[in-house]
Short mmCIF file of all heavy atoms in Angstrom, two decimals:
data_model
loop_
_atom_site.label_atom_id
_atom_site.label_comp_id
_atom_site.label_asym_id
_atom_site.label_seq_id
_atom_site.Cartn_x
_atom_site.Cartn_y
_atom_site.Cartn_z
N MET I 171 -1.09 -18.14 -13.94
CA MET I 171 -1.18 -16.75 -13.48
C MET I 171 -2.51 -16.50 -12.77
O MET I 171 -2.56 -15.82 -11.73
CB MET I 171 -1.02 -15.78 -14.66
CG MET I 171 0.37 -15.74 -15.26
SD MET I 171 0.46 -14.69 -16.74
CE MET I 171 0.07 -13.07 -16.04
N LEU I 172 -3.59 -17.06 -13.30
CA LEU I 172 -4.91 -16.91 -12.68
C LEU I 172 -4.95 -17.59 -11.31
O LEU I 172 -5.50 -17.05 -10.35
CB LEU I 172 -6.00 -17.48 -13.58
CG LEU I 172 -6.33 -16.70 -14.85
CD1 LEU I 172 -7.25 -17.52 -15.75
CD2 LEU I 172 -6.98 -15.36 -14.51
N LEU I 173 -4.36 -18.78 -11.24
CA LEU I 173 -4.34 -19.52 -9.97
C LEU I 173 -3.55 -18.75 -8.91
O LEU I 173 -3.99 -18.64 -7.75
CB LEU I 173 -3.73 -20.91 -10.18
CG LEU I 173 -4.56 -21.91 -10.98
CD1 LEU I 173 -3.74 -23.16 -11.28
CD2 LEU I 173 -5.83 -22.28 -10.22
N ILE I 174 -2.41 -18.20 -9.30
CA ILE I 174 -1.58 -17.44 -8.36
C ILE I 174 -2.29 -16.17 -7.93
O ILE I 174 -2.32 -15.82 -6.74
CB ILE I 174 -0.22 -17.11 -8.99
CG1 ILE I 174 0.58 -18.40 -9.23
CG2 ILE I 174 0.58 -16.16 -8.10
CD1 ILE I 174 1.88 -18.19 -9.96
N ALA I 175 -2.89 -15.45 -8.91
CA ALA I 175 -3.58 -14.20 -8.59
C ALA I 175 -4.74 -14.44 -7.63
O ALA I 175 -5.03 -13.60 -6.77
CB ALA I 175 -4.10 -13.55 -9.88
N GLY I 176 -5.40 -15.59 -7.75
CA GLY I 176 -6.48 -15.92 -6.83
C GLY I 176 -5.96 -16.28 -5.45
O GLY I 176 -6.50 -15.85 -4.43
N ALA I 177 -4.87 -17.05 -5.42
CA ALA I 177 -4.32 -17.52 -4.14
C ALA I 177 -3.78 -16.37 -3.30
O ALA I 177 -3.96 -16.36 -2.07
CB ALA I 177 -3.22 -18.54 -4.40
N VAL I 178 -3.14 -15.39 -3.94
CA VAL I 178 -2.52 -14.30 -3.16
C VAL I 178 -3.56 -13.42 -2.49
O VAL I 178 -3.23 -12.69 -1.54
CB VAL I 178 -1.60 -13.43 -4.05
CG1 VAL I 178 -0.45 -14.25 -4.61
CG2 VAL I 178 -2.39 -12.76 -5.17
N MET I 179 -4.81 -13.49 -2.94
CA MET I 179 -5.84 -12.68 -2.31
C MET I 179 -6.16 -13.14 -0.90
O MET I 179 -6.79 -12.43 -0.12
CB MET I 179 -7.11 -12.68 -3.16
CG MET I 179 -6.96 -12.04 -4.54
SD MET I 179 -6.29 -10.37 -4.47
CE MET I 179 -7.66 -9.47 -3.76
N PHE I 180 -5.72 -14.36 -0.55
CA PHE I 180 -5.95 -14.87 0.80
C PHE I 180 -4.79 -14.56 1.74
O PHE I 180 -4.84 -14.93 2.92
CB PHE I 180 -6.20 -16.38 0.75
CG PHE I 180 -7.52 -16.75 0.13
CD1 PHE I 180 -7.58 -17.26 -1.16
CD2 PHE I 180 -8.71 -16.58 0.83
CE1 PHE I 180 -8.81 -17.59 -1.74
CE2 PHE I 180 -9.93 -16.90 0.26
CZ PHE I 180 -9.98 -17.41 -1.02
N ILE I 181 -3.76 -13.90 1.22
CA ILE I 181 -2.66 -13.48 2.08
C ILE I 181 -3.17 -12.33 2.96
O ILE I 181 -3.67 -11.33 2.44
CB ILE I 181 -1.45 -13.01 1.25
CG1 ILE I 181 -0.91 -14.17 0.41
CG2 ILE I 181 -0.35 -12.44 2.16
CD1 ILE I 181 0.23 -13.76 -0.51
N PRO I 182 -3.06 -12.47 4.26
CA PRO I 182 -3.57 -11.40 5.15
C PRO I 182 -2.78 -10.11 4.99
O PRO I 182 -1.56 -10.10 5.17
CB PRO I 182 -3.40 -12.00 6.55
CG PRO I 182 -2.32 -13.02 6.41
CD PRO I 182 -2.47 -13.58 5.02
N ILE I 183 -3.48 -9.05 4.61
CA ILE I 183 -2.86 -7.74 4.44
C ILE I 183 -3.63 -6.72 5.27
O ILE I 183 -4.85 -6.61 5.15
CB ILE I 183 -2.88 -7.29 2.96
CG1 ILE I 183 -2.07 -8.27 2.10
CG2 ILE I 183 -2.32 -5.88 2.81
CD1 ILE I 183 -0.59 -8.26 2.39
N SER I 184 -2.92 -6.01 6.11
CA SER I 184 -3.56 -4.98 6.92
C SER I 184 -3.86 -3.78 6.05
O SER I 184 -3.02 -3.34 5.26
CB SER I 184 -2.65 -4.56 8.08
OG SER I 184 -3.21 -3.47 8.78
N GLU I 185 -5.08 -3.23 6.16
CA GLU I 185 -5.46 -2.07 5.38
C GLU I 185 -5.28 -0.78 6.19
O GLU I 185 -5.79 0.27 5.84
CB GLU I 185 -6.91 -2.17 4.91
CG GLU I 185 -7.12 -3.30 3.92
CD GLU I 185 -8.43 -3.19 3.19
OE1 GLU I 185 -9.24 -2.31 3.56
OE2 GLU I 185 -8.66 -3.95 2.25
N LYS I 186 -4.49 -0.85 7.26
CA LYS I 186 -4.20 0.34 8.04
C LYS I 186 -3.24 1.22 7.28
O LYS I 186 -2.20 0.78 6.81
CB LYS I 186 -3.59 -0.06 9.39
CG LYS I 186 -3.29 1.15 10.28
CD LYS I 186 -2.67 0.70 11.61
CE LYS I 186 -2.34 1.89 12.48
NZ LYS I 186 -1.73 1.49 13.78
N LYS I 187 -3.54 2.47 7.11
CA LYS I 187 -2.73 3.38 6.32
C LYS I 187 -1.53 3.85 7.11
O LYS I 187 -1.65 4.31 8.24
CB LYS I 187 -3.55 4.60 5.87
CG LYS I 187 -4.90 4.25 5.31
CD LYS I 187 -4.79 3.33 4.13
CE LYS I 187 -6.14 2.92 3.61
NZ LYS I 187 -6.95 2.18 4.54
N ASP I 188 -0.33 3.73 6.54
CA ASP I 188 0.91 4.10 7.20
C ASP I 188 1.27 5.52 6.82
O ASP I 188 2.22 5.76 6.07
CB ASP I 188 2.02 3.12 6.78
CG ASP I 188 3.28 3.30 7.63
OD1 ASP I 188 3.19 3.99 8.66
OD2 ASP I 188 4.32 2.73 7.24
N THR I 189 0.50 6.48 7.31
CA THR I 189 0.70 7.87 6.91
C THR I 189 1.65 8.62 7.83
O THR I 189 2.07 9.72 7.51
CB THR I 189 -0.65 8.62 6.89
OG1 THR I 189 -1.27 8.48 8.18
CG2 THR I 189 -1.57 8.05 5.84
N ASP I 190 2.00 8.03 8.99
CA ASP I 190 2.90 8.71 9.91
C ASP I 190 4.35 8.54 9.48
O ASP I 190 5.22 9.29 9.89
CB ASP I 190 2.73 8.14 11.32
CG ASP I 190 1.33 8.43 11.87
OD1 ASP I 190 0.77 9.46 11.45
OD2 ASP I 190 0.84 7.64 12.67
N LYS I 191 4.58 7.56 8.65
CA LYS I 191 5.93 7.28 8.21
C LYS I 191 6.36 8.27 7.13
O LYS I 191 5.65 8.50 6.18
CB LYS I 191 5.97 5.84 7.66
CG LYS I 191 7.34 5.37 7.24
CD LYS I 191 7.22 3.94 6.77
CE LYS I 191 8.57 3.39 6.32
NZ LYS I 191 8.45 2.00 5.84
N GLU I 192 7.54 8.86 7.29
CA GLU I 192 8.03 9.81 6.30
C GLU I 192 8.39 9.08 5.02
O GLU I 192 8.93 7.98 5.03
CB GLU I 192 9.25 10.55 6.85
CG GLU I 192 8.93 11.49 8.00
CD GLU I 192 10.16 12.28 8.41
OE1 GLU I 192 11.21 12.12 7.75
OE2 GLU I 192 10.07 13.04 9.38
N THR I 193 8.10 9.72 3.90
CA THR I 193 8.44 9.13 2.61
C THR I 193 9.89 9.40 2.28
O THR I 193 10.48 10.37 2.73
CB THR I 193 7.54 9.71 1.50
OG1 THR I 193 7.73 11.13 1.45
CG2 THR I 193 6.08 9.43 1.77
N TYR I 194 10.47 8.51 1.52
CA TYR I 194 11.84 8.69 1.06
C TYR I 194 11.93 8.14 -0.36
O TYR I 194 10.92 7.75 -0.94
CB TYR I 194 12.84 7.99 2.00
CG TYR I 194 12.56 6.54 2.27
CD1 TYR I 194 13.08 5.54 1.45
CD2 TYR I 194 11.75 6.14 3.34
CE1 TYR I 194 12.83 4.21 1.70
CE2 TYR I 194 11.50 4.81 3.60
CZ TYR I 194 12.05 3.85 2.77
OH TYR I 194 11.78 2.52 3.00
N PHE I 195 13.13 8.16 -0.94
CA PHE I 195 13.30 7.78 -2.34
C PHE I 195 12.75 6.37 -2.59
O PHE I 195 13.19 5.41 -1.96
CB PHE I 195 14.77 7.83 -2.73
CG PHE I 195 15.00 7.59 -4.20
CD1 PHE I 195 14.62 8.53 -5.14
CD2 PHE I 195 15.59 6.41 -4.63
CE1 PHE I 195 14.82 8.31 -6.49
CE2 PHE I 195 15.80 6.18 -5.97
CZ PHE I 195 15.42 7.13 -6.90
N GLY I 196 11.78 6.27 -3.49
CA GLY I 196 11.17 4.99 -3.80
C GLY I 196 9.86 4.76 -3.08
O GLY I 196 9.14 3.81 -3.40
N ILE I 197 9.53 5.59 -2.12
CA ILE I 197 8.26 5.50 -1.40
C ILE I 197 7.42 6.72 -1.76
O ILE I 197 7.83 7.86 -1.54
CB ILE I 197 8.46 5.46 0.13
CG1 ILE I 197 9.39 4.31 0.52
CG2 ILE I 197 7.11 5.33 0.83
CD1 ILE I 197 8.83 2.94 0.21
N VAL I 198 6.26 6.48 -2.33
CA VAL I 198 5.39 7.56 -2.78
C VAL I 198 4.09 7.54 -1.98
O VAL I 198 3.53 6.47 -1.73
CB VAL I 198 5.08 7.44 -4.29
CG1 VAL I 198 4.19 8.58 -4.75
CG2 VAL I 198 6.37 7.41 -5.09
N ASN I 199 3.62 8.71 -1.58
CA ASN I 199 2.39 8.83 -0.83
C ASN I 199 1.24 9.17 -1.78
O ASN I 199 1.31 10.13 -2.54
CB ASN I 199 2.52 9.92 0.24
CG ASN I 199 1.30 9.98 1.13
OD1 ASN I 199 0.37 10.75 0.87
ND2 ASN I 199 1.30 9.18 2.18
N PHE I 200 0.18 8.34 -1.74
CA PHE I 200 -0.99 8.55 -2.59
C PHE I 200 -2.19 8.90 -1.73
O PHE I 200 -2.28 8.50 -0.57
CB PHE I 200 -1.31 7.30 -3.41
CG PHE I 200 -0.36 7.05 -4.53
CD1 PHE I 200 0.67 6.13 -4.39
CD2 PHE I 200 -0.49 7.73 -5.73
CE1 PHE I 200 1.54 5.90 -5.43
CE2 PHE I 200 0.39 7.49 -6.77
CZ PHE I 200 1.40 6.58 -6.62
N LYS I 201 -3.13 9.60 -2.32
CA LYS I 201 -4.37 9.94 -1.63
C LYS I 201 -5.55 9.40 -2.43
O LYS I 201 -5.62 9.56 -3.64
CB LYS I 201 -4.52 11.46 -1.47
CG LYS I 201 -5.79 11.86 -0.72
CD LYS I 201 -5.87 13.37 -0.55
CE LYS I 201 -7.14 13.75 0.21
NZ LYS I 201 -7.26 15.23 0.38
N SER I 202 -6.47 8.76 -1.73
CA SER I 202 -7.70 8.27 -2.34
C SER I 202 -8.84 8.70 -1.43
O SER I 202 -8.99 8.18 -0.32
CB SER I 202 -7.67 6.75 -2.48
OG SER I 202 -8.90 6.28 -2.99
N GLY I 203 -9.62 9.67 -1.88
CA GLY I 203 -10.66 10.21 -1.03
C GLY I 203 -10.05 10.94 0.15
O GLY I 203 -9.23 11.83 -0.01
N ASP I 204 -10.42 10.53 1.33
CA ASP I 204 -9.89 11.14 2.55
C ASP I 204 -8.75 10.31 3.15
O ASP I 204 -8.29 10.61 4.25
CB ASP I 204 -11.00 11.31 3.59
CG ASP I 204 -12.10 12.23 3.09
OD1 ASP I 204 -11.77 13.19 2.36
OD2 ASP I 204 -13.28 11.98 3.42
N GLU I 205 -8.33 9.27 2.45
CA GLU I 205 -7.32 8.38 2.98
C GLU I 205 -6.00 8.52 2.21
O GLU I 205 -5.99 8.80 1.01
CB GLU I 205 -7.79 6.92 2.91
CG GLU I 205 -9.06 6.65 3.72
CD GLU I 205 -9.55 5.23 3.57
OE1 GLU I 205 -9.23 4.62 2.53
OE2 GLU I 205 -10.24 4.73 4.47
N ARG I 206 -4.91 8.31 2.93
CA ARG I 206 -3.58 8.33 2.31
C ARG I 206 -2.88 7.01 2.62
O ARG I 206 -3.11 6.39 3.65
CB ARG I 206 -2.75 9.49 2.86
CG ARG I 206 -3.21 10.86 2.36
CD ARG I 206 -2.26 11.96 2.83
NE ARG I 206 -2.65 13.26 2.31
CZ ARG I 206 -2.28 13.74 1.12
NH1 ARG I 206 -1.50 13.00 0.34
NH2 ARG I 206 -2.68 14.93 0.71
N TYR I 207 -2.01 6.60 1.71
CA TYR I 207 -1.25 5.38 1.92
C TYR I 207 0.06 5.49 1.16
O TYR I 207 0.18 6.22 0.16
CB TYR I 207 -2.04 4.14 1.46
CG TYR I 207 -2.66 4.28 0.09
CD1 TYR I 207 -1.96 3.91 -1.05
CD2 TYR I 207 -3.94 4.78 -0.06
CE1 TYR I 207 -2.51 4.05 -2.29
CE2 TYR I 207 -4.51 4.94 -1.31
CZ TYR I 207 -3.78 4.56 -2.42
OH TYR I 207 -4.34 4.71 -3.66
N ASN I 208 1.07 4.79 1.63
CA ASN I 208 2.38 4.80 1.01
C ASN I 208 2.56 3.60 0.09
O ASN I 208 2.16 2.48 0.44
CB ASN I 208 3.48 4.79 2.09
CG ASN I 208 3.52 6.08 2.88
OD1 ASN I 208 3.16 7.14 2.37
ND2 ASN I 208 3.94 6.00 4.14
N VAL I 209 3.14 3.83 -1.07
CA VAL I 209 3.41 2.77 -2.03
C VAL I 209 4.91 2.63 -2.21
O VAL I 209 5.59 3.61 -2.53
CB VAL I 209 2.75 3.06 -3.40
CG1 VAL I 209 3.14 2.01 -4.42
CG2 VAL I 209 1.23 3.12 -3.25
N ASN I 210 5.42 1.44 -1.98
CA ASN I 210 6.84 1.16 -2.16
C ASN I 210 7.08 0.82 -3.63
O ASN I 210 6.78 -0.27 -4.09
CB ASN I 210 7.26 -0.01 -1.27
CG ASN I 210 8.76 -0.22 -1.25
OD1 ASN I 210 9.46 0.13 -2.21
ND2 ASN I 210 9.26 -0.79 -0.18
N LEU I 211 7.64 1.77 -4.37
CA LEU I 211 7.86 1.58 -5.80
C LEU I 211 8.88 0.49 -6.09
O LEU I 211 8.88 -0.10 -7.17
CB LEU I 211 8.30 2.90 -6.44
CG LEU I 211 7.28 4.05 -6.39
CD1 LEU I 211 7.85 5.28 -7.10
CD2 LEU I 211 5.95 3.64 -7.02
#
């Protein structure tokens, strides 16, 4: 589990917030400070 958790950190993930996309069932919009991002539940 530790090896996998370390390896996945090298997967390229864009930190651009997808706030223009409308939320729907299973997609929740969170706010952290002045930024918002969608979480796919």
Side-chain angles (χ1 to χ4, degrees):
M171 291 175 64
L172 288 170
L173 290 171
I174 294 175
V178 298
M179 296 306 290
F180 290 105
I181 298 177
I183 298 293
S184 174
E185 294 195 352
K186 181 181 179 180
K187 314 301 177 298
D188 190 12
T189 55
D190 295 331
K191 184 178 179 181
E192 292 185 3
T193 59
Y194 54 89
F195 186 70
I197 304 295
V198 180
N199 186 267
F200 287 99
K201 182 178 180 181
S202 176
D204 298 325
E205 299 177 335
R206 288 185 177 274
Y207 48 89
N208 292 331
V209 175
N210 189 334
L211 297 182

